[in-house]
């Protein structure tokens, strides 16, 4: 299978409007006629050759039917075939031979049509794959802001519908609409030359009325279909959101609330779907009425011509066969229009995503980041997520190569924003962020992120095996390297104790593992990646004290010799940092080592004292709870002692 197109090398979506059929065709054409695939272009040519061949066979079938009917009518009028004609002459007479030819014609018609569809399938599915791949890649290239503004369920639905829409529109245009138009032209030509202009006029009027009715009825149905799709997307989004937050639902006993919420969405979907099928019934009934009137008119005209001696009985059969045969693809005209129109809407949504420019892009000709030591420096960095609300207000600090710098401060001070900026999830408003003197905006994002390892507060794992999640740090790593990383992260023993070992499934978002186990997997993944720069974004704040100590020991080993930026909420985890920065209101309020900051008696000392008081209160509460648990046992022991003394006195 070909390798996925790299982000920078893939073609950009064409700058055309895709809200019309012509615009959509222009947008899809480079994928249906790829400049780099001569084999696919040859398939397109062969497909259209076979299209005309199949329609030629389609037109020949009614003629064979007519000739067989006329030959049989002539024999009947003559009293049957000559008795002395011989056995083979009787069997292989004109009526039989023409009937056999009619059967062969239908076989050829069907065979060539299926061959055409089979040859074109490779072209259609290649276009589907390439566009779906580009959309998927582009979604990953878009900024974090884009994804935070959208619901994942709705976004994946756009990709799914677009993939189906591309396949639909390609199949409908090449294998349904184009053959129908070719057959219409052929039918009109046959009726004009084999009969007269009146037949062609009636058929043309029938097709015109049929098309106009189909267009207006389908337009009416589009709003109904759109409502159905919107309600379907809404129901799917709610289902995904609820199932991803399974534990939260259980915590609050909200199953009934979630079920009712989902049922309301499904009720809207049910109502819209019923309206869709009802409107479809009206459309089909109207189409059948218009065509039946046109067919009856042509047949009556043929009956009158037969009576006048201008046509034969075979012509009557031929007109009927041709019209009924033409009705089959014509009947799909409404379906084709509806599907193409829906596909245009779905593809338009996909092209809207493709046309969305990434907020963060590589500079033209950007080189890869070269890390010699790993010194990270923020120089007067300013940043805001939205205008009028600045998060960072001129932050300046340096993390020397191989040293550890911690960022602490109250919630909302902008601590986690620093890590997002270092990874270039966003670009800063002003200032510079450099690594070994190289501005991170001037190097490739791929090389930048390859040089940085992250252990976040909330580790989200892929719904796969433990081995897969650890190997995600370096996909080409061998089993021995994965196991060594797990051993260094102190999770190898736990993994080997499970029945499936490294093949143990972690579940959706890693829900089958505890918080500490997930963090150890994240640490193992980072160890395997082996980056020179490490970011620990509140990596232990969600863990209990015992687990925190174990994880902290593992993190200390990982950060040895690496440039480490620690973003922490619990100050006890950063007391050993080479330097601690206190961030407040988007600025560096204090800096220094733990002892210096405590001696200064400023914001850091206040945060430290507040946390120690909270920890002391929690410890007192825990001891009180422990004493409460022991009280019944002590009371029983006292009672037993008294009873013993009484027994001794009595004795």
């Amino acid at each position: 299978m070909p390798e996925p197109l790299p982000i920078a090398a893939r073609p950009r979506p064409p700058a055309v409007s895709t809200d019309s059929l012509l615009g959509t065709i222009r947008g899809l054409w480079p994928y249906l006629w790829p400049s780099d695939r001569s084999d696919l272009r040859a398939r397109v040519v062969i497909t259209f050759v076979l299209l005309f061949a199949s329609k030629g066979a389609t037109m020949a079938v009614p003629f064979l039917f007519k000739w067989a009917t006329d030959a049989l009518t002539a024999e009947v009028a003559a009293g049957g075939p000559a008795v002395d004609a011989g056995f083979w002459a009787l069997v292989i007479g004109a009526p039989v031979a023409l009937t056999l030819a009619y059967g062969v014609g239908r076989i050829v018609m069907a065979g060539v049509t299926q061959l055409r569809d089979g040859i074109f399938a490779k072209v259609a599915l290649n276009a589907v794959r390439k566009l779906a791949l580009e959309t998927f890649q582009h979604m990953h290239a878009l900024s974090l802001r884009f994804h935070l503004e959208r619901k994942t369920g709705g976004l994946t639905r756009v990709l799914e519908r677009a993939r189906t829409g591309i396949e639909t529109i390609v199949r409908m245009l090449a294998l349904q609409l184009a053959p129908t138009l070719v057959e219409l032209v052929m039918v009109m030509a046959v009726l004009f030359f084999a009969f007269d202009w009146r037949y062609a006029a009636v058929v043309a009027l029938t097709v015109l009325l049929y098309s106009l009715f189909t267009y207006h009825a389908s337009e009416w149905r589009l709003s109904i279909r759109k409502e159905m799709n919107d309600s379907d997307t809404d129901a799917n989004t709610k289902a995904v959101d609820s199932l991803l937050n399974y534990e939260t639902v259980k915590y609050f006993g909200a199953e009934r609330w979630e079920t009712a919420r989902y049922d309301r969405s499904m009720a809207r979907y049910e109502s819209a779907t019923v309206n869709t099928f009802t409107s479809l019934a009206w459309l089909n009934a109207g189409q059948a009425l218009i065509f039946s009137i046109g067919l009856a008119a042509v047949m009556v005209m043929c009956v009158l011509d037969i009576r006048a001696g201008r046509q034969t009985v075979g012509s009557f059969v031929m007109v009927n066969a041709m019209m009924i045969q033409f009705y089959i693809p014509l009947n799909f005209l409404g379906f084709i229009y509806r599907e193409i129109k829906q596909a245009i809407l779905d593809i338009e949504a996909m092209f809207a995503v493709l046309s969305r420019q990434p907020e963060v892009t590589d500079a033209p000709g950007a080189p890869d980041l070269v890390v010699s030591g790993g010194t990270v420096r923020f120089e007067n960095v300013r940043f805001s997520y939205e205008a009028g609300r600045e998060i960072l207000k001129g932050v300046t600090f340096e993390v020397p190569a191989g040293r550890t710098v911690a960022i602490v401060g109250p919630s909302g001070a902008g601590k986690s924003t620093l890590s997002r900026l270092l990874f270039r999830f966003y670009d800063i408003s002003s200032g510079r962020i450099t690594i070994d003197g190289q501005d991170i905006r001037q190097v490739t994002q791929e090389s930048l992120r390859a040089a940085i390892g992250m252990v976040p507060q909330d580790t989200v794992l892929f719904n796969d095996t433990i081995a897969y999640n650890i190997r995600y740090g370096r996909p080409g790593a061998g089993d021995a390297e994965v196991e060594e990383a797990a051993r260094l992260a102190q999770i190898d023993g736990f993994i080997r104790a499970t029945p499936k070992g490294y093949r143990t499934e972690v579940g959706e978002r890693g829900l089958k593992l505890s918080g500490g186990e997930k963090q150890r997997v994240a640490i193992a993944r980072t160890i395997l990646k082996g980056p020179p720069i490490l970011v620990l974004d509140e990596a232990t704040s969600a863990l209990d004290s015992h687990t925190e100590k174990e994880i902290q020991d593992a993190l200390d080993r990982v950060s040895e010799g690496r440039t480490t930026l620690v973003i922490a909420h619990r100050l006890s985890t950063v007391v050993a940092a080479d330097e601690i920065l206190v961030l407040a209101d988007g600025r560096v309020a204090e800096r220094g080592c733990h002892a210096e900051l405590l001696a200064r008696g400023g914001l850091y000392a206040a945060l430290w004292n507040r946390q120690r008081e909270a920890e002391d209160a929690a410890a007192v509460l825990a001891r009180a709870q422990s004493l409460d648990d022991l009280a019944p046992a002590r009371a029983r022991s006292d009672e037993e002692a008294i009873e013993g003394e009484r027994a001794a006195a009595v004795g």
Side-chain angles (χ1 to χ4, degrees):
M1 181 178 293
E3 289 293 324
L5 296 171
I7 297 293
R10 70 172 187 269
R12 299 303 309 144
V16 296
S17 171
T18 56
D19 58 356
S20 65
L21 178 59
L22 181 59
T24 302
I25 293 173
R26 290 175 59 193
L28 293 177
W29 182 249
Y31 303 92
L32 298 175
W33 188 263
S35 58
D36 58 339
R37 293 291 300 273
S38 59
D39 59 320
L40 295 180
R41 297 200 301 273
R43 283 176 176 267
V44 174
V45 173
I46 294 171
T47 295
F48 279 95
V49 170
L50 292 176
L51 187 158
F52 284 98
S54 66
K55 291 308 170 185
T58 300
M59 288 296 100
V61 167
F63 277 100
L64 292 169
F65 202 3
K66 164 185 165 59
W67 296 332
T69 302
D70 285 340
L72 185 60
T73 302
E75 278 194 359
V76 171
V83 177
D84 58 350
F87 175 77
W88 291 110
L90 287 172
V91 174
I92 314 178
V96 175
L98 289 169
T99 301
L100 290 174
Y102 168 79
V104 171
R106 293 193 66 85
I107 293 172
V108 170
M109 177 181 69
V112 173
T113 300
Q114 296 306 315
L115 179 62
R116 177 201 69 193
D117 294 356
I119 288 176
F120 191 73
K122 177 71 174 177
V123 179
L125 293 176
N126 180 74
V128 171
R129 172 180 169 267
K130 288 188 69 175
L131 265 169
L133 174 65
E134 288 182 20
T135 305
F136 182 76
Q137 287 181 324
H138 190 70
M139 285 178 178
H140 275 292
L142 290 174
S143 67
L144 178 62
R145 191 193 311 274
F146 172 85
H147 289 277
L148 292 177
E149 291 172 352
R150 284 160 175 78
K151 295 181 178 179
T152 304
L155 200 57
T156 55
R157 205 68 166 170
V158 168
L159 181 60
E160 178 186 344
R161 282 191 182 145
R163 189 172 62 242
T164 303
I166 297 166
E167 185 178 355
T168 297
I169 203 167
V170 169
R171 187 179 69 252
M172 291 296 174
L173 286 175
L175 307 182
Q176 297 287 345
L177 185 59
T180 300
L181 294 176
V182 170
E183 187 170 349
L184 173 61
V185 172
M186 288 184 172
V187 167
M188 297 285 290
V190 167
L191 292 175
F192 184 84
F193 291 105
F195 294 85
D196 62 53
W197 67 270
R198 295 174 301 143
Y199 289 79
V202 170
V203 171
L205 180 61
T206 300
V207 172
L208 178 62
L209 292 175
Y210 188 98
S211 301
L212 287 174
F213 173 78
T214 299
Y215 169 77
H216 289 292
S218 297
E219 284 293 318
W220 165 58
R221 294 190 67 243
L222 274 178
S223 60
I224 301 174
R225 279 291 295 267
K226 186 177 186 303
E227 183 182 353
M228 183 185 74
N229 286 341
D230 289 344
S231 58
D232 176 43
T233 299
D234 182 61
N236 181 71
T237 300
K238 283 183 170 56
V240 171
D241 195 35
S242 181
L243 293 173
L244 285 178
N245 291 281
Y246 171 84
E247 288 187 79
T248 304
V249 173
K250 291 295 183 183
Y251 292 152
F252 291 92
E255 293 90 345
R256 290 185 180 180
W257 165 260
E258 290 295 327
T259 301
R261 184 166 169 256
Y262 181 67
D263 185 52
R264 285 194 295 271
S265 296
M266 287 304 298
R268 289 194 294 271
Y269 176 71
E270 177 188 11
S271 176
T273 305
V274 169
N275 291 336
T276 299
F277 282 107
T278 302
S279 61
L280 176 61
W282 282 108
L283 175 60
N284 289 337
Q287 289 174 330
L289 177 64
I290 293 172
F291 186 83
S292 297
I293 292 173
L295 174 63
V298 170
M299 299 297 292
V300 168
M301 290 168 56
C302 190
V303 168
L304 295 177
D305 283 345
I306 292 172
R307 285 180 174 177
R310 291 189 292 270
Q311 296 292 343
T312 64
V313 175
S315 299
F316 181 82
V317 174
M318 173 185 169
V319 168
N320 180 267
M322 185 176 294
M323 291 293 290
I324 294 298
Q325 190 169 271
F326 178 56
Y327 179 66
I328 296 174
L330 188 64
N331 186 47
F332 281 104
L333 189 62
F335 173 74
I336 292 169
Y337 177 80
R338 294 191 301 273
E339 291 300 308
I340 287 178
K341 192 72 174 179
Q342 183 60 48
I344 288 173
L345 292 175
D346 294 337
I347 293 172
E348 184 182 3
M350 178 198 67
F351 275 112
V353 173
L354 282 173
S355 64
R356 177 77 176 257
Q357 295 301 315
E359 186 176 327
V360 177
T361 57
D362 288 343
D368 287 343
L369 175 69
V370 178
V371 181
S372 54
T375 298
V376 176
R377 181 169 176 77
F378 282 64
E379 300 176 3
N380 196 29
V381 171
R382 292 182 175 272
F383 174 74
S384 58
Y385 289 105
E386 54 189 28
R389 183 171 173 265
E390 197 170 37
I391 303 299
L392 299 180
K393 305 170 184 178
V395 173
T396 299
F397 66 90
E398 180 178 291
V399 187
R403 307 293 290 275
T404 297
V405 170
I407 309 290
V408 300
S411 297
K415 302 187 297 296
S416 293
T417 298
L418 293 173
S419 67
R420 290 175 172 178
L421 294 178
L422 183 59
F423 272 92
R424 271 200 84 194
F425 289 160
Y426 302 94
D427 270 337
I428 59 179
S429 304
S430 64
R432 284 206 321 161
I433 302 175
T434 64
I435 295 178
D436 288 337
Q438 302 160 84
D439 191 326
I440 63 173
R441 290 172 296 184
Q442 303 304 318
V443 298
T444 61
Q445 297 174 68
E446 184 177 1
S447 64
L448 169 67
R449 292 164 188 159
I452 307 172
M454 164 66 86
V455 180
Q457 173 185 359
D458 182 19
T459 299
V460 178
L461 303 181
F462 293 93
N463 190 3
D464 210 301
T465 64
I466 292 178
Y468 175 87
N469 279 280
I470 295 176
R471 188 176 278 112
Y472 205 78
R474 183 156 50 87
D479 291 342
E481 294 174 293
V482 169
E483 292 170 9
E484 176 62 15
R487 188 186 65 78
L488 293 174
Q490 295 183 334
I491 195 175
D492 179 68
F494 161 77
I495 296 173
R496 294 186 184 279
T498 60
K500 293 185 179 180
Y502 281 85
R503 295 193 302 274
T504 299
E505 298 282 340
V506 303
E508 190 78 37
R509 298 168 61 88
L511 289 177
K512 292 183 179 179
L513 302 182
S514 69
E517 290 159 358
K518 287 198 294 183
Q519 288 299 79
R520 287 187 178 93
V521 170
I523 294 169
R525 187 160 57 190
T526 302
I527 292 172
L528 190 62
K529 182 178 182 180
I533 301 169
L534 188 62
V535 176
L536 309 179
D537 191 352
E538 303 198 22
T540 63
S541 64
L543 305 176
D544 61 80
S545 300
H546 177 71
T547 306
E548 178 188 12
K549 179 64 172 61
E550 293 181 345
I551 297 296
Q552 191 62 50
D553 291 343
L555 290 174
D556 290 341
R557 283 192 296 274
V558 174
S559 59
E560 285 180 6
R562 289 187 169 92
T563 303
T564 305
L565 179 64
V566 181
I567 297 167
H569 174 71
R570 291 184 182 175
L571 304 185
S572 58
T573 62
V574 298
V575 294
D578 297 304
E579 185 179 27
I580 300 172
L581 306 179
V582 183
L583 207 63
D585 193 28
R587 295 183 175 88
V588 178
E590 296 176 344
R591 66 176 68 208
C593 68
H594 174 70
E596 292 171 348
L597 292 174
L598 283 182
R600 192 172 300 166
L603 179 58
Y604 180 84
L607 290 172
W608 174 264
N609 293 330
R610 194 178 308 146
Q611 286 194 14
R612 290 301 298 268
E613 289 171 2
E615 290 171 1
D616 291 343
V620 170
L621 182 63
R623 283 197 299 271
Q625 181 65 41
S626 177
L627 291 173
D628 288 343
D629 293 338
L630 292 174
R634 288 179 176 174
R636 285 194 301 271
S637 298
D638 292 342
E639 290 176 359
E640 290 172 359
I642 293 171
E643 289 297 330
E645 290 176 0
R646 287 177 180 172
V650 171

